Amino acid sequence: MGKGHFELELPADWGLVETGEYFEGQVHEDLKSTYSIRNAKGAQMAVLSTGIEYYAHGEPPMTQVHNEIVDFSDKAINGQSYVFATSKGSTGTSISLAMGKKNQLEVADALPWVFSPSDSSSATFYRVIEDDEQLTGVDPSLTEIARAKAYAKTPEYRQLKSVMLSMREIKKFTAPPLGEASTAPDSCVGAKYSYDLGNSQLSCDEAKAFLQRLLQERPSTGGVEIMGVGACMLAWEDAPGFCLVESTGGRFDFSVR
C-alpha cells in the first residue's frame, strides 16, 4: 500500500480497499493513496490516507476541551502515538495514530489524526465512532465513556488496534521539491516572524499577507487550511512553521523571531 512504501498486517477475514478518494493535502503523487480497512462483514473499521506533505511538528493546541483517554500507546509509529479517546462536545469518539503526548491529547480541541510514517511524508489513519453506531459486542444502552470502555474490551477493537500498530515502512520515500524555484529574495524579516521564501514564488509582502490571512482562521491541531488558498502549520519557539501555497504549488517556511 502507499504505492509499495508501507504494509499492514490484517486479520485473515479483513480486507483493504483502495477508494480512489483524495483530499487536497495529499500532494505526493508517488505515495498518494487512500484505503478503507473493512472487517469480515464489510463494515469500515478505519481509513488510511498517505502522501500528505510532511508535518515537521504539530502538537495539538491546548484548549478547555477534555478528552477521556480509553487506551494509549506512546511512540507507537515512528515516535507518534496510538490513541482511543472520547471527547466532550462535537469531536466525538475516535481511534487513531496521531501526534501528541498523552497530557496534550487529553486537552486537545480535537484528536489530531496526522502522523508521520516516514521522515518525508505524513498520513492519516483513524476510525471515527459515531454516536448512533452499533458497536459489535457492546450493550446499545451504554453511552459516552462507558460505551468506549466496553468497546475496548471487544475482540474487534483488539483486531483494529493490532492493524494500526502493525503499519511499517518497507520502502523509503524522498519528497520532491514543490513548484519551481522562486525568483523572489531568499528570506526576509517581519514584526513577529522571519521568512524563508523557498519555492513559494511569493514576495516577502505576499508571504506575510498569506500567513496573516491563514492565521485569521482558527487553527486546529497545530495547523490551518483555507480551501482554494492553501495551508499553514504553526511555528513554535523551537520549531519552524511552513505554508503551502495552492496558486503556485510551492511552499515557504517561517520562524518565530
Side-chain angles (χ1 to χ4, degrees):
M1 57 175 213
K3 298 187 177 178
H5 289 271
F6 307 104
E7 69 176 13
L8 290 174
E9 295 179 11
L10 298 176
D13 53 357
W14 284 32
L16 186 71
V17 178
E18 189 163 8
T19 67
E21 298 177 356
Y22 307 115
F23 59 92
E24 187 177 358
Q26 290 174 270
V27 299
H28 299 308
E29 292 294 333
D30 291 341
L31 195 66
K32 183 173 75 174
S33 55
T34 299
Y35 301 92
S36 172
I37 288 84
R38 301 178 184 179
N39 66 12
K41 297 180 180 180
Q44 182 168 279
M45 293 288 97
V47 174
L48 170 64
S49 297
T50 62
I52 303 171
E53 173 70 12
Y54 177 58
Y55 286 65
H57 56 88
E59 294 179 349
M62 308 302 279
T63 73
Q64 299 303 310
V65 175
H66 179 66
N67 292 318
E68 295 280 355
I69 304 296
V70 181
D71 189 11
F72 178 81
S73 302
D74 196 15
K75 302 185 185 305
I77 302 292
N78 197 35
Q80 309 305 317
S81 304
Y82 169 90
V83 61
F84 175 22
T86 65
S87 304
K88 293 182 178 178
S90 62
T91 49
T93 302
S94 69
I95 302 170
S96 63
L97 293 176
M99 292 182 178
K101 298 178 182 178
K102 187 174 183 180
N103 63 336
Q104 296 167 328
L105 294 167
E106 287 174 341
V107 290
D109 183 33
L111 297 174
W113 294 336
V114 174
F115 74 105
S116 302
S118 73
D119 292 334
S120 55
S121 68
S122 296
T124 60
F125 197 177
Y126 63 89
R127 179 181 182 190
V128 175
I129 302 176
E130 303 293 350
D131 290 339
D132 60 355
E133 182 178 347
Q134 177 56 55
L135 296 173
T136 302
V138 176
D139 185 339
S141 68
L142 295 176
T143 61
E144 299 180 348
I145 188 65
R147 176 174 178 254
K149 287 182 176 179
Y151 185 58
K153 296 177 181 179
T154 64
E156 181 180 274
Y157 169 78
R158 289 193 293 271
Q159 287 180 309
L160 174 59
K161 179 177 180 178
S162 177
V163 169
M164 286 190 169
L165 298 184
S166 73
M167 183 172 178
R168 68 187 184 98
E169 184 180 25
I170 58 175
K171 179 182 177 183
K172 292 294 182 181
F173 172 76
T174 302
L178 292 176
E180 300 297 327
S182 173
T183 58
D186 290 339
S187 62
C188 62
V189 177
K192 185 176 180 180
Y193 300 106
S194 59
Y195 296 80
D196 178 356
L197 300 176
N199 64 353
S200 67
Q201 302 181 57
L202 299 183
S203 68
C204 185
D205 287 342
E206 287 172 337
K208 293 176 184 177
F210 184 95
L211 178 60
Q212 183 177 12
R213 180 179 179 186
L214 269 290
L215 293 181
Q216 288 174 351
E217 301 292 321
R218 185 170 180 267
S220 176
T221 67
V224 61
E225 179 180 8
I226 299 178
M227 298 298 290
V229 177
C232 294
M233 288 299 293
L234 305 186
W236 307 90
E237 290 185 358
D238 59 350
F242 67 85
C243 292
L244 303 177
V245 184
E246 186 169 329
S247 62
T248 67
R251 136 183 190 160
F252 67 89
D253 296 349
F254 60 100
S255 303
V256 178
R257 294 184 60 189

